[in-house]
Structure formats: C-alpha cells, structure tokens
PDB file of all heavy atoms in Angstrom:
ATOM      1  N   SER A   1    -123.795 137.425  63.512  1.00 78.00           N
ATOM      2  CA  SER A   1    -122.354 137.310  63.269  1.00 78.00           C
ATOM      3  C   SER A   1    -121.750 138.598  62.724  1.00 78.00           C
ATOM      4  O   SER A   1    -120.538 138.667  62.502  1.00 78.00           O
ATOM      5  CB  SER A   1    -122.074 136.159  62.291  1.00 78.00           C
ATOM      6  OG  SER A   1    -122.572 136.453  61.001  1.00 78.00           O
ATOM      7  N   PHE A   2    -122.591 139.628  62.492  1.00 74.00           N
ATOM      8  CA  PHE A   2    -122.102 140.915  62.006  1.00 74.00           C
ATOM      9  C   PHE A   2    -122.281 141.980  63.071  1.00 74.00           C
ATOM     10  O   PHE A   2    -123.299 141.997  63.781  1.00 74.00           O
ATOM     11  CB  PHE A   2    -122.859 141.338  60.732  1.00 74.00           C
ATOM     12  CG  PHE A   2    -122.344 140.697  59.484  1.00 74.00           C
ATOM     13  CD1 PHE A   2    -122.801 139.453  59.090  1.00 74.00           C
ATOM     14  CD2 PHE A   2    -121.385 141.328  58.704  1.00 74.00           C
ATOM     15  CE1 PHE A   2    -122.314 138.850  57.945  1.00 74.00           C
ATOM     16  CE2 PHE A   2    -120.897 140.742  57.558  1.00 74.00           C
ATOM     17  CZ  PHE A   2    -121.363 139.497  57.179  1.00 74.00           C
ATOM     18  N   PRO A   3    -121.309 142.884  63.196  1.00 69.00           N
ATOM     19  CA  PRO A   3    -121.420 143.938  64.218  1.00 69.00           C
ATOM     20  C   PRO A   3    -122.473 144.963  63.844  1.00 69.00           C
ATOM     21  O   PRO A   3    -122.713 145.244  62.670  1.00 69.00           O
ATOM     22  CB  PRO A   3    -120.019 144.575  64.219  1.00 69.00           C
ATOM     23  CG  PRO A   3    -119.490 144.321  62.837  1.00 69.00           C
ATOM     24  CD  PRO A   3    -120.051 142.984  62.430  1.00 69.00           C
ATOM     25  N   SER A   4    -123.119 145.509  64.846  1.00 66.00           N
ATOM     26  CA  SER A   4    -124.101 146.568  64.647  1.00 66.00           C
ATOM     27  C   SER A   4    -123.487 147.904  65.044  1.00 66.00           C
ATOM     28  O   SER A   4    -122.799 148.002  66.067  1.00 66.00           O
ATOM     29  CB  SER A   4    -125.348 146.302  65.489  1.00 66.00           C
ATOM     30  OG  SER A   4    -126.239 147.388  65.405  1.00 66.00           O
ATOM     31  N   PHE A   5    -123.727 148.909  64.212  1.00 56.00           N
ATOM     32  CA  PHE A   5    -123.187 150.236  64.502  1.00 56.00           C
ATOM     33  C   PHE A   5    -124.210 151.131  65.204  1.00 56.00           C
ATOM     34  O   PHE A   5    -123.931 152.275  65.515  1.00 56.00           O
ATOM     35  CB  PHE A   5    -122.717 150.905  63.207  1.00 56.00           C
ATOM     36  CG  PHE A   5    -121.555 150.193  62.573  1.00 56.00           C
ATOM     37  CD1 PHE A   5    -121.747 149.344  61.504  1.00 56.00           C
ATOM     38  CD2 PHE A   5    -120.276 150.354  63.068  1.00 56.00           C
ATOM     39  CE1 PHE A   5    -120.674 148.680  60.919  1.00 56.00           C
ATOM     40  CE2 PHE A   5    -119.199 149.688  62.505  1.00 56.00           C
ATOM     41  CZ  PHE A   5    -119.407 148.852  61.419  1.00 56.00           C
ATOM     42  N   ARG A   6    -125.406 150.594  65.399  1.00 63.00           N
ATOM     43  CA  ARG A   6    -126.453 151.365  66.056  1.00 63.00           C
ATOM     44  C   ARG A   6    -127.038 150.539  67.196  1.00 63.00           C
ATOM     45  O   ARG A   6    -127.005 149.318  67.183  1.00 63.00           O
ATOM     46  CB  ARG A   6    -127.549 151.735  65.058  1.00 63.00           C
ATOM     47  CG  ARG A   6    -127.075 152.646  63.925  1.00 63.00           C
ATOM     48  CD  ARG A   6    -128.200 152.935  62.959  1.00 63.00           C
ATOM     49  NE  ARG A   6    -127.763 153.785  61.852  1.00 63.00           N
ATOM     50  CZ  ARG A   6    -128.522 154.123  60.821  1.00 63.00           C
ATOM     51  NH1 ARG A   6    -129.772 153.688  60.752  1.00 63.00           N
ATOM     52  NH2 ARG A   6    -128.035 154.894  59.859  1.00 63.00           N
ATOM     53  N   GLY A   7    -127.629 151.222  68.163  1.00 59.00           N
ATOM     54  CA  GLY A   7    -128.264 150.529  69.267  1.00 59.00           C
ATOM     55  C   GLY A   7    -127.250 149.991  70.263  1.00 59.00           C
ATOM     56  O   GLY A   7    -126.081 150.371  70.285  1.00 59.00           O
ATOM     57  N   GLU A   8    -127.728 149.075  71.102  1.00 67.00           N
ATOM     58  CA  GLU A   8    -126.875 148.510  72.134  1.00 67.00           C
ATOM     59  C   GLU A   8    -125.824 147.582  71.532  1.00 67.00           C
ATOM     60  O   GLU A   8    -126.062 146.910  70.537  1.00 67.00           O
ATOM     61  CB  GLU A   8    -127.735 147.726  73.134  1.00 67.00           C
ATOM     62  CG  GLU A   8    -128.716 148.584  73.916  1.00 67.00           C
ATOM     63  CD  GLU A   8    -129.491 147.761  74.930  1.00 67.00           C
ATOM     64  OE1 GLU A   8    -129.151 146.572  75.115  1.00 67.00           O
ATOM     65  OE2 GLU A   8    -130.427 148.312  75.527  1.00 67.00           O
ATOM     66  N   LYS A   9    -124.660 147.551  72.184  1.00 65.00           N
ATOM     67  CA  LYS A   9    -123.604 146.650  71.745  1.00 65.00           C
ATOM     68  C   LYS A   9    -123.938 145.225  72.186  1.00 65.00           C
ATOM     69  O   LYS A   9    -124.360 144.994  73.313  1.00 65.00           O
ATOM     70  CB  LYS A   9    -122.258 147.070  72.335  1.00 65.00           C
ATOM     71  CG  LYS A   9    -121.738 148.398  71.804  1.00 65.00           C
ATOM     72  CD  LYS A   9    -120.375 148.721  72.396  1.00 65.00           C
ATOM     73  CE  LYS A   9    -119.845 150.043  71.851  1.00 65.00           C
ATOM     74  NZ  LYS A   9    -118.511 150.372  72.415  1.00 65.00           N
ATOM     75  N   THR A  10    -123.757 144.276  71.276  1.00 67.00           N
ATOM     76  CA  THR A  10    -124.007 142.875  71.584  1.00 67.00           C
ATOM     77  C   THR A  10    -122.794 142.046  71.162  1.00 67.00           C
ATOM     78  O   THR A  10    -122.084 142.405  70.228  1.00 67.00           O
ATOM     79  CB  THR A  10    -125.259 142.346  70.855  1.00 67.00           C
ATOM     80  OG1 THR A  10    -125.100 142.538  69.438  1.00 67.00           O
ATOM     81  CG2 THR A  10    -126.511 143.087  71.326  1.00 67.00           C
ATOM     82  N   ALA A  11    -122.584 140.954  71.842  1.00 66.00           N
ATOM     83  CA  ALA A  11    -121.460 140.082  71.511  1.00 66.00           C
ATOM     84  C   ALA A  11    -121.712 139.371  70.190  1.00 66.00           C
ATOM     85  O   ALA A  11    -122.832 138.920  69.916  1.00 66.00           O
ATOM     86  CB  ALA A  11    -121.263 139.050  72.621  1.00 66.00           C
ATOM     87  N   LEU A  12    -120.670 139.320  69.353  1.00 66.00           N
ATOM     88  CA  LEU A  12    -120.797 138.609  68.089  1.00 66.00           C
ATOM     89  C   LEU A  12    -120.770 137.106  68.351  1.00 66.00           C
ATOM     90  O   LEU A  12    -120.029 136.618  69.193  1.00 66.00           O
ATOM     91  CB  LEU A  12    -119.656 138.993  67.143  1.00 66.00           C
ATOM     92  CG  LEU A  12    -119.578 140.460  66.732  1.00 66.00           C
ATOM     93  CD1 LEU A  12    -118.414 140.660  65.770  1.00 66.00           C
ATOM     94  CD2 LEU A  12    -120.875 140.915  66.092  1.00 66.00           C
ATOM     95  N   ARG A  13    -121.602 136.399  67.592  1.00 72.00           N
ATOM     96  CA  ARG A  13    -121.673 134.954  67.747  1.00 72.00           C
ATOM     97  C   ARG A  13    -121.415 134.277  66.407  1.00 72.00           C
ATOM     98  O   ARG A  13    -122.107 134.545  65.433  1.00 72.00           O
ATOM     99  CB  ARG A  13    -123.046 134.539  68.279  1.00 72.00           C
ATOM    100  CG  ARG A  13    -123.314 134.948  69.701  1.00 72.00           C
ATOM    101  CD  ARG A  13    -124.611 134.315  70.175  1.00 72.00           C
ATOM    102  NE  ARG A  13    -125.621 135.312  70.433  1.00 72.00           N
ATOM    103  CZ  ARG A  13    -126.891 135.032  70.696  1.00 72.00           C
ATOM    104  NH1 ARG A  13    -127.301 133.782  70.704  1.00 72.00           N
ATOM    105  NH2 ARG A  13    -127.753 135.998  70.933  1.00 72.00           N
ATOM    106  N   GLY A  14    -120.407 133.435  66.363  1.00 76.00           N
ATOM    107  CA  GLY A  14    -120.153 132.681  65.148  1.00 76.00           C
ATOM    108  C   GLY A  14    -121.165 131.563  64.980  1.00 76.00           C
ATOM    109  O   GLY A  14    -121.935 131.250  65.893  1.00 76.00           O
ATOM    110  N   ILE A  15    -121.171 130.959  63.788  1.00 83.00           N
ATOM    111  CA  ILE A  15    -122.067 129.837  63.520  1.00 83.00           C
ATOM    112  C   ILE A  15    -121.246 128.556  63.627  1.00 83.00           C
ATOM    113  O   ILE A  15    -120.371 128.316  62.800  1.00 83.00           O
ATOM    114  CB  ILE A  15    -122.693 129.957  62.111  1.00 83.00           C
ATOM    115  CG1 ILE A  15    -123.366 131.318  61.939  1.00 83.00           C
ATOM    116  CG2 ILE A  15    -123.694 128.837  61.880  1.00 83.00           C
ATOM    117  CD1 ILE A  15    -123.896 131.570  60.535  1.00 83.00           C
ATOM    118  N   PRO A  16    -121.480 127.748  64.630  1.00 83.00           N
ATOM    119  CA  PRO A  16    -120.675 126.530  64.795  1.00 83.00           C
ATOM    120  C   PRO A  16    -120.929 125.539  63.664  1.00 83.00           C
ATOM    121  O   PRO A  16    -121.972 125.560  63.013  1.00 83.00           O
ATOM    122  CB  PRO A  16    -121.161 125.975  66.135  1.00 83.00           C
ATOM    123  CG  PRO A  16    -122.533 126.522  66.304  1.00 83.00           C
ATOM    124  CD  PRO A  16    -122.513 127.875  65.665  1.00 83.00           C
ATOM    125  N   GLY A  17    -119.945 124.646  63.453  1.00 84.00           N
ATOM    126  CA  GLY A  17    -120.098 123.632  62.417  1.00 84.00           C
ATOM    127  C   GLY A  17    -119.613 124.105  61.063  1.00 84.00           C
ATOM    128  O   GLY A  17    -118.988 125.155  60.933  1.00 84.00           O
ATOM    129  N   LYS A  18    -119.920 123.335  60.028  1.00 87.00           N
ATOM    130  CA  LYS A  18    -119.484 123.661  58.678  1.00 87.00           C
ATOM    131  C   LYS A  18    -120.539 123.247  57.662  1.00 87.00           C
ATOM    132  O   LYS A  18    -121.490 122.518  57.992  1.00 87.00           O
ATOM    133  CB  LYS A  18    -118.157 122.957  58.373  1.00 87.00           C
ATOM    134  CG  LYS A  18    -118.219 121.448  58.459  1.00 87.00           C
ATOM    135  CD  LYS A  18    -116.857 120.823  58.189  1.00 87.00           C
ATOM    136  CE  LYS A  18    -116.928 119.297  58.287  1.00 87.00           C
ATOM    137  NZ  LYS A  18    -115.604 118.668  58.019  1.00 87.00           N
ATOM    138  N   LEU A  19    -120.369 123.709  56.432  1.00 89.00           N
ATOM    139  CA  LEU A  19    -121.310 123.370  55.367  1.00 89.00           C
ATOM    140  C   LEU A  19    -121.354 121.860  55.161  1.00 89.00           C
ATOM    141  O   LEU A  19    -120.334 121.176  55.288  1.00 89.00           O
ATOM    142  CB  LEU A  19    -120.888 124.043  54.054  1.00 89.00           C
ATOM    143  CG  LEU A  19    -121.129 125.543  53.919  1.00 89.00           C
ATOM    144  CD1 LEU A  19    -120.330 126.093  52.758  1.00 89.00           C
ATOM    145  CD2 LEU A  19    -122.605 125.829  53.706  1.00 89.00           C
ATOM    146  N   PRO A  20    -122.517 121.316  54.797  1.00 92.00           N
ATOM    147  CA  PRO A  20    -122.606 119.880  54.521  1.00 92.00           C
ATOM    148  C   PRO A  20    -121.912 119.529  53.208  1.00 92.00           C
ATOM    149  O   PRO A  20    -121.659 120.395  52.373  1.00 92.00           O
ATOM    150  CB  PRO A  20    -124.124 119.648  54.418  1.00 92.00           C
ATOM    151  CG  PRO A  20    -124.677 120.963  53.989  1.00 92.00           C
ATOM    152  CD  PRO A  20    -123.817 121.994  54.657  1.00 92.00           C
ATOM    153  N   ASP A  21    -121.579 118.266  53.050  1.00 91.00           N
ATOM    154  CA  ASP A  21    -120.976 117.758  51.816  1.00 91.00           C
ATOM    155  C   ASP A  21    -122.053 117.696  50.739  1.00 91.00           C
ATOM    156  O   ASP A  21    -122.994 116.898  50.834  1.00 91.00           O
ATOM    157  CB  ASP A  21    -120.379 116.377  52.071  1.00 91.00           C
ATOM    158  CG  ASP A  21    -119.620 115.836  50.863  1.00 91.00           C
ATOM    159  OD1 ASP A  21    -119.704 116.443  49.773  1.00 91.00           O
ATOM    160  OD2 ASP A  21    -118.951 114.796  51.008  1.00 91.00           O
ATOM    161  N   LEU A  22    -121.939 118.525  49.715  1.00 93.00           N
ATOM    162  CA  LEU A  22    -122.964 118.598  48.671  1.00 93.00           C
ATOM    163  C   LEU A  22    -122.823 117.506  47.623  1.00 93.00           C
ATOM    164  O   LEU A  22    -123.610 117.443  46.685  1.00 93.00           O
ATOM    165  CB  LEU A  22    -122.926 119.976  47.996  1.00 93.00           C
ATOM    166  CG  LEU A  22    -123.127 121.182  48.922  1.00 93.00           C
ATOM    167  CD1 LEU A  22    -123.166 122.477  48.111  1.00 93.00           C
ATOM    168  CD2 LEU A  22    -124.409 121.036  49.747  1.00 93.00           C
ATOM    169  N   SER A  23    -121.820 116.644  47.769  1.00 91.00           N
ATOM    170  CA  SER A  23    -121.633 115.545  46.821  1.00 91.00           C
ATOM    171  C   SER A  23    -122.320 114.259  47.288  1.00 91.00           C
ATOM    172  O   SER A  23    -122.284 113.248  46.594  1.00 91.00           O
ATOM    173  CB  SER A  23    -120.145 115.275  46.599  1.00 91.00           C
ATOM    174  OG  SER A  23    -119.542 114.770  47.775  1.00 91.00           O
ATOM    175  N   VAL A  24    -122.938 114.304  48.478  1.00 91.00           N
ATOM    176  CA  VAL A  24    -123.692 113.150  48.972  1.00 91.00           C
ATOM    177  C   VAL A  24    -125.153 113.548  49.122  1.00 91.00           C
ATOM    178  O   VAL A  24    -125.501 114.733  49.130  1.00 91.00           O
ATOM    179  CB  VAL A  24    -123.130 112.662  50.331  1.00 91.00           C
ATOM    180  CG1 VAL A  24    -121.677 112.258  50.192  1.00 91.00           C
ATOM    181  CG2 VAL A  24    -123.281 113.732  51.417  1.00 91.00           C
ATOM    182  N   GLU A  25    -126.022 112.558  49.231  1.00 89.00           N
ATOM    183  CA  GLU A  25    -127.448 112.838  49.379  1.00 89.00           C
ATOM    184  C   GLU A  25    -127.702 113.459  50.750  1.00 89.00           C
ATOM    185  O   GLU A  25    -127.283 112.932  51.781  1.00 89.00           O
ATOM    186  CB  GLU A  25    -128.254 111.560  49.237  1.00 89.00           C
ATOM    187  CG  GLU A  25    -129.747 111.782  49.351  1.00 89.00           C
ATOM    188  CD  GLU A  25    -130.554 110.498  49.246  1.00 89.00           C
ATOM    189  OE1 GLU A  25    -129.935 109.429  49.083  1.00 89.00           O
ATOM    190  OE2 GLU A  25    -131.795 110.570  49.334  1.00 89.00           O
ATOM    191  N   ASN A  26    -128.395 114.583  50.740  1.00 91.00           N
ATOM    192  CA  ASN A  26    -128.735 115.264  51.989  1.00 91.00           C
ATOM    193  C   ASN A  26    -130.251 115.305  52.144  1.00 91.00           C
ATOM    194  O   ASN A  26    -130.952 115.871  51.295  1.00 91.00           O
ATOM    195  CB  ASN A  26    -128.179 116.688  51.991  1.00 91.00           C
ATOM    196  CG  ASN A  26    -126.679 116.739  52.187  1.00 91.00           C
ATOM    197  OD1 ASN A  26    -126.186 116.637  53.298  1.00 91.00           O
ATOM    198  ND2 ASN A  26    -125.935 116.873  51.095  1.00 91.00           N
ATOM    199  N   LYS A  27    -130.751 114.702  53.196  1.00 92.00           N
ATOM    200  CA  LYS A  27    -132.185 114.712  53.462  1.00 92.00           C
ATOM    201  C   LYS A  27    -132.556 115.919  54.323  1.00 92.00           C
ATOM    202  O   LYS A  27    -131.729 116.473  55.036  1.00 92.00           O
ATOM    203  CB  LYS A  27    -132.597 113.432  54.187  1.00 92.00           C
ATOM    204  CG  LYS A  27    -132.437 112.154  53.378  1.00 92.00           C
ATOM    205  CD  LYS A  27    -132.916 110.966  54.190  1.00 92.00           C
ATOM    206  CE  LYS A  27    -132.789 109.676  53.392  1.00 92.00           C
ATOM    207  NZ  LYS A  27    -133.248 108.496  54.183  1.00 92.00           N
ATOM    208  N   GLY A  28    -133.822 116.271  54.242  1.00 95.00           N
ATOM    209  CA  GLY A  28    -134.341 117.309  55.114  1.00 95.00           C
ATOM    210  C   GLY A  28    -133.760 118.682  54.868  1.00 95.00           C
ATOM    211  O   GLY A  28    -133.348 119.024  53.758  1.00 95.00           O
ATOM    212  N   CYS A  29    -133.693 119.484  55.929  1.00 96.00           N
ATOM    213  CA  CYS A  29    -133.187 120.857  55.846  1.00 96.00           C
ATOM    214  C   CYS A  29    -131.666 120.855  55.749  1.00 96.00           C
ATOM    215  O   CYS A  29    -130.992 120.145  56.498  1.00 96.00           O
ATOM    216  CB  CYS A  29    -133.636 121.636  57.075  1.00 96.00           C
ATOM    217  SG  CYS A  29    -132.997 123.331  57.150  1.00 96.00           S
ATOM    218  N   MET A  30    -131.112 121.662  54.862  1.00 95.00           N
ATOM    219  CA  MET A  30    -129.669 121.706  54.680  1.00 95.00           C
ATOM    220  C   MET A  30    -128.959 122.296  55.896  1.00 95.00           C
ATOM    221  O   MET A  30    -127.777 122.046  56.121  1.00 95.00           O
ATOM    222  CB  MET A  30    -129.322 122.522  53.430  1.00 95.00           C
ATOM    223  CG  MET A  30    -129.845 121.922  52.120  1.00 95.00           C
ATOM    224  SD  MET A  30    -129.227 120.253  51.815  1.00 95.00           S
ATOM    225  CE  MET A  30    -127.493 120.584  51.521  1.00 95.00           C
ATOM    226  N   PHE A  31    -129.666 123.058  56.717  1.00 95.00           N
ATOM    227  CA  PHE A  31    -129.047 123.725  57.860  1.00 95.00           C
ATOM    228  C   PHE A  31    -129.197 122.922  59.154  1.00 95.00           C
ATOM    229  O   PHE A  31    -128.739 123.347  60.204  1.00 95.00           O
ATOM    230  CB  PHE A  31    -129.667 125.118  58.034  1.00 95.00           C
ATOM    231  CG  PHE A  31    -128.974 126.000  59.031  1.00 95.00           C
ATOM    232  CD1 PHE A  31    -127.624 126.305  58.917  1.00 95.00           C
ATOM    233  CD2 PHE A  31    -129.674 126.525  60.111  1.00 95.00           C
ATOM    234  CE1 PHE A  31    -126.990 127.122  59.836  1.00 95.00           C
ATOM    235  CE2 PHE A  31    -129.047 127.349  61.042  1.00 95.00           C
ATOM    236  CZ  PHE A  31    -127.695 127.641  60.902  1.00 95.00           C
ATOM    237  N   LYS A  32    -129.793 121.754  59.090  1.00 95.00           N
ATOM    238  CA  LYS A  32    -130.181 121.015  60.299  1.00 95.00           C
ATOM    239  C   LYS A  32    -129.019 120.719  61.247  1.00 95.00           C
ATOM    240  O   LYS A  32    -129.180 120.753  62.470  1.00 95.00           O
ATOM    241  CB  LYS A  32    -130.876 119.709  59.905  1.00 95.00           C
ATOM    242  CG  LYS A  32    -130.015 118.772  59.056  1.00 95.00           C
ATOM    243  CD  LYS A  32    -130.807 117.554  58.618  1.00 95.00           C
ATOM    244  CE  LYS A  32    -129.945 116.616  57.762  1.00 95.00           C
ATOM    245  NZ  LYS A  32    -129.568 117.232  56.473  1.00 95.00           N
ATOM    246  N   ASP A  33    -127.834 120.405  60.701  1.00 93.00           N
ATOM    247  CA  ASP A  33    -126.714 119.997  61.550  1.00 93.00           C
ATOM    248  C   ASP A  33    -126.097 121.162  62.326  1.00 93.00           C
ATOM    249  O   ASP A  33    -125.313 120.936  63.254  1.00 93.00           O
ATOM    250  CB  ASP A  33    -125.621 119.327  60.698  1.00 93.00           C
ATOM    251  CG  ASP A  33    -126.088 118.002  60.105  1.00 93.00           C
ATOM    252  OD1 ASP A  33    -126.972 117.365  60.710  1.00 93.00           O
ATOM    253  OD2 ASP A  33    -125.586 117.619  59.029  1.00 93.00           O
ATOM    254  N   ARG A  34    -126.429 122.387  61.956  1.00 93.00           N
ATOM    255  CA  ARG A  34    -125.875 123.560  62.642  1.00 93.00           C
ATOM    256  C   ARG A  34    -126.956 124.372  63.350  1.00 93.00           C
ATOM    257  O   ARG A  34    -126.683 125.448  63.868  1.00 93.00           O
ATOM    258  CB  ARG A  34    -125.138 124.459  61.636  1.00 93.00           C
ATOM    259  CG  ARG A  34    -124.038 123.745  60.881  1.00 93.00           C
ATOM    260  CD  ARG A  34    -123.457 124.604  59.762  1.00 93.00           C
ATOM    261  NE  ARG A  34    -122.630 125.684  60.268  1.00 93.00           N
ATOM    262  CZ  ARG A  34    -122.036 126.589  59.471  1.00 93.00           C
ATOM    263  NH1 ARG A  34    -122.187 126.513  58.154  1.00 93.00           N
ATOM    264  NH2 ARG A  34    -121.288 127.540  59.992  1.00 93.00           N
ATOM    265  N   CYS A  35    -128.167 123.843  63.356  1.00 92.00           N
ATOM    266  CA  CYS A  35    -129.317 124.597  63.851  1.00 92.00           C
ATOM    267  C   CYS A  35    -129.724 124.122  65.240  1.00 92.00           C
ATOM    268  O   CYS A  35    -129.943 122.928  65.463  1.00 92.00           O
ATOM    269  CB  CYS A  35    -130.490 124.441  62.882  1.00 92.00           C
ATOM    270  SG  CYS A  35    -131.977 125.358  63.381  1.00 92.00           S
ATOM    271  N   SER A  36    -129.855 125.058  66.159  1.00 87.00           N
ATOM    272  CA  SER A  36    -130.240 124.712  67.530  1.00 87.00           C
ATOM    273  C   SER A  36    -131.735 124.417  67.654  1.00 87.00           C
ATOM    274  O   SER A  36    -132.187 123.904  68.688  1.00 87.00           O
ATOM    275  CB  SER A  36    -129.856 125.855  68.481  1.00 87.00           C
ATOM    276  OG  SER A  36    -130.494 127.061  68.091  1.00 87.00           O
ATOM    277  N   TYR A  37    -132.514 124.728  66.615  1.00 89.00           N
ATOM    278  CA  TYR A  37    -133.956 124.475  66.645  1.00 89.00           C
ATOM    279  C   TYR A  37    -134.336 123.163  65.959  1.00 89.00           C
ATOM    280  O   TYR A  37    -135.508 122.792  65.946  1.00 89.00           O
ATOM    281  CB  TYR A  37    -134.706 125.608  65.935  1.00 89.00           C
ATOM    282  CG  TYR A  37    -134.522 126.969  66.560  1.00 89.00           C
ATOM    283  CD1 TYR A  37    -133.529 127.836  66.105  1.00 89.00           C
ATOM    284  CD2 TYR A  37    -135.330 127.408  67.602  1.00 89.00           C
ATOM    285  CE1 TYR A  37    -133.350 129.089  66.667  1.00 89.00           C
ATOM    286  CE2 TYR A  37    -135.167 128.661  68.178  1.00 89.00           C
ATOM    287  CZ  TYR A  37    -134.173 129.495  67.700  1.00 89.00           C
ATOM    288  OH  TYR A  37    -134.003 130.732  68.266  1.00 89.00           O
ATOM    289  N   ALA A  38    -133.370 122.461  65.376  1.00 91.00           N
ATOM    290  CA  ALA A  38    -133.656 121.279  64.556  1.00 91.00           C
ATOM    291  C   ALA A  38    -134.312 120.160  65.377  1.00 91.00           C
ATOM    292  O   ALA A  38    -133.905 119.868  66.499  1.00 91.00           O
ATOM    293  CB  ALA A  38    -132.378 120.780  63.902  1.00 91.00           C
TER     294      ALA A  38
END
C-alpha cells in the first residue's frame, strides 16, 4: 500500500475491509476477515 521509490513501478493496492469491532469477542486471527489466505 506504500509507493516504492526504487526498482520497478508497481500498482498500489489498498487493504479491503475495515478493522474489527474490539468491543466484542473476537476469535482466531484478528486479520482473518481481510486476509485472502484465511
């Protein structure tokens, strides 16, 4: 998500989704809902 000033130019990619609600119980990995490997 950050531009590189060296090497080949690559397209910036945002991170889809949003932070989880920390006021409720969250099981497992905190990043699971935004992770393509989950």
Side-chain angles (χ1 to χ4, degrees):
S1 68
F2 278 86
S4 174
F5 295 101
R6 297 178 181 176
E8 295 183 8
K9 293 182 179 180
T10 57
L12 298 181
R13 291 188 246 171
I15 306 175
K18 60 182 180 180
L19 285 165
D21 185 351
L22 302 184
S23 67
V24 300
E25 181 182 0
N26 286 280
K27 295 182 179 180
C29 177
M30 297 301 292
F31 189 57
K32 60 184 180 294
D33 293 333
R34 303 172 73 182
C35 181
S36 59
Y37 299 94

